[in-house]
Every structure is written in structure tokens, then in C-alpha cells.
Amino acid sequence: MKFTLLSALWLGLLATSGGAEEPRAGLMWNKTGLPAVFPLQVKTAPGQDFMMTLVDAQTHAPALAAFIEGGEFFKVLVPPGEYDVRFATGAQWRGEAELFGKDETTLFVLDGPLRFAVMDFATKLGHVIDFTASDDAIMVKAQFICQRFSVAEFARPQPPFDDLEGYATRLTQEGELVQFPNRFAPDRLSAGTDDPVIPTDFAPYFSDPAYEVRAFPC
């Protein structure tokens, strides 16, 4: 993918603070108000750091910013949408107002926006931006994350009352209080008794199954 160099006028678009302390690598801010759930990975070489900004392709409003340490593994989750991806790079961070210095900052934007969206019921569309694959081009490829729903815990029999209760009462449909022996109580289990449990609307006694979602590249 090609990229376009930007002028220093972009500094005014990004300026939000004048501090010079280098931020921690990762998300700096998310102004969209939307949940960040789509993967964006950036591969860089050592020597220069980066500030990456996602700008809404339609409104041109800054949406998200992240700081990248050159040569270190970097991955961030971004909100759904279509964004122009802009980079500022340099050696010495001087805050969002000056980035890496007026004369030392290189600004550029990827040609064409990147789309982050759900492709179908269980597939998320993200991207990988690779600065290390070529000396004269930036490689961009889609990254698909599939989700699989599976049963983590099956339904299982469970006692109708608290395990510690020897007896419990329930109100029948006829309005009569009936005492139910709890065959799961510790004293009955240890004695090996087989007291009957009167059938009610509460039977059968099974727990709800539990589900989990597993995400994996696909």
C-alpha cells in the first residue's frame, strides 16, 4: 500500500496536550464512544517511535490514537467504522502538541481508508500494517478473527433446596404448605436413606448450561 506525506498543519488537528512525557505504548484515547473490539496490528522496526491516529473517513474527526514503540510488538483494538490511518514518527517524543518536534516529525497517511466491521455472525474484520516487509512500501493485509460458541459446562442435576436444609416447605397450587424432605442433606446422604421428594413444579432440578466464546485467527 502506498502512503502520502502530510504537512505540519496536521499538528493542529491532533494537539490535545503540551506534556513531553513519553506515553506508554498502547491506546492513548478513543473519542468515538464506541466499544473497541476489532484488531489492528502494526509491525515496526527499532529506531523510531510512532503515534498512530485513526480519523473518521466521512467526518474527518479524530477517532482514536495510539503510541507505538519502534520494534516492539503492538496490537490495539479499535471501534467499528471506516478510518483514514495517519502516522507521526520520530526519535524523541515531545507531547501531542509538537509530536516528535517541528522539524524532526515525519507525517504520512495510508492511501485509502481501512474498514473495521463484523463480516458475518462470527467473523471480525481487522488489519495488519507492516512497516518491515518492504523498504519503499507499507504492507497492509486483512486480519480475520473468528468466534466459536461452545458449551463450557453442561446442565447437571442439582438439589431442590439448600444442601444444609433437612426439610423445606413449598406452597402447592392448592394453597397448601407441604414439607419436602431434602434427600441431598448431608445427614441423609451419610445415612443412605432414600426419602421420597414430592413432585412439584420445581422438578426436574437441573442447572443452566454455561457457554463460552473462543476467538482465533481464521
Side-chain angles (χ1 to χ4, degrees):
M1 176 174 282
K2 296 181 180 179
F3 59 91
T4 303
L5 291 174
L6 299 177
S7 69
L9 293 176
W10 185 42
L11 296 177
L13 176 65
L14 297 180
T16 59
S17 68
E21 181 179 355
E22 183 172 298
R24 297 179 60 182
L27 180 68
M28 297 175 68
W29 40 259
N30 176 5
K31 296 183 178 181
T32 66
L34 300 174
V37 294
F38 298 93
L40 176 56
Q41 183 177 349
V42 182
K43 298 180 179 180
T44 59
Q48 300 238 320
D49 295 334
F50 297 77
M51 178 180 177
M52 177 181 67
T53 304
L54 273 58
V55 178
D56 189 286
Q58 301 298 322
T59 66
H60 307 294
L64 176 147
F67 190 83
I68 304 169
E69 293 183 2
E72 299 295 327
F73 175 81
F74 176 83
K75 190 173 186 178
V76 68
L77 297 178
V78 306
E82 194 168 89
Y83 303 103
D84 293 320
V85 184
R86 303 182 177 187
F87 289 93
T89 181
Q92 182 64 47
W93 178 255
R94 299 186 181 182
E96 288 190 55
E98 298 182 35
L99 299 178
F100 299 93
K102 181 179 179 180
D103 299 323
E104 292 80 19
T105 300
T106 301
L107 303 170
F108 55 92
V109 59
L110 299 185
D111 284 352
L114 298 183
R115 178 170 173 255
F116 298 85
V118 176
M119 302 302 295
D120 53 44
F121 177 73
T123 306
K124 296 178 180 179
L125 170 62
H127 297 275
V128 177
I129 303 174
D130 192 350
F131 288 85
T132 65
S134 173
D135 293 334
D136 56 0
I138 301 172
M139 305 300 294
V140 179
K141 63 179 181 179
Q143 182 181 67
F144 295 97
I145 302 297
C146 292
Q147 298 181 116
R148 177 179 298 167
F149 296 85
S150 59
V151 178
E153 186 175 301
F154 291 93
R156 65 185 189 281
Q158 63 180 8
F161 321 115
D162 189 295
D163 288 350
L164 300 180
E165 295 180 2
Y167 291 87
T169 57
R170 292 290 186 269
L171 184 66
T172 65
Q173 293 182 352
E174 293 76 20
E176 180 183 2
L177 282 175
V178 179
Q179 189 177 64
F180 295 81
N182 182 4
R183 61 183 173 186
F184 299 94
D187 58 341
R188 285 184 167 77
L189 291 175
S190 61
T193 58
D194 189 21
D195 293 336
V197 174
I198 302 174
T200 72
D201 293 338
F202 297 93
Y205 306 102
F206 286 94
S207 65
D208 294 329
Y211 299 92
E212 65 180 4
V213 180
R214 295 182 179 179
F216 55 94
C218 57

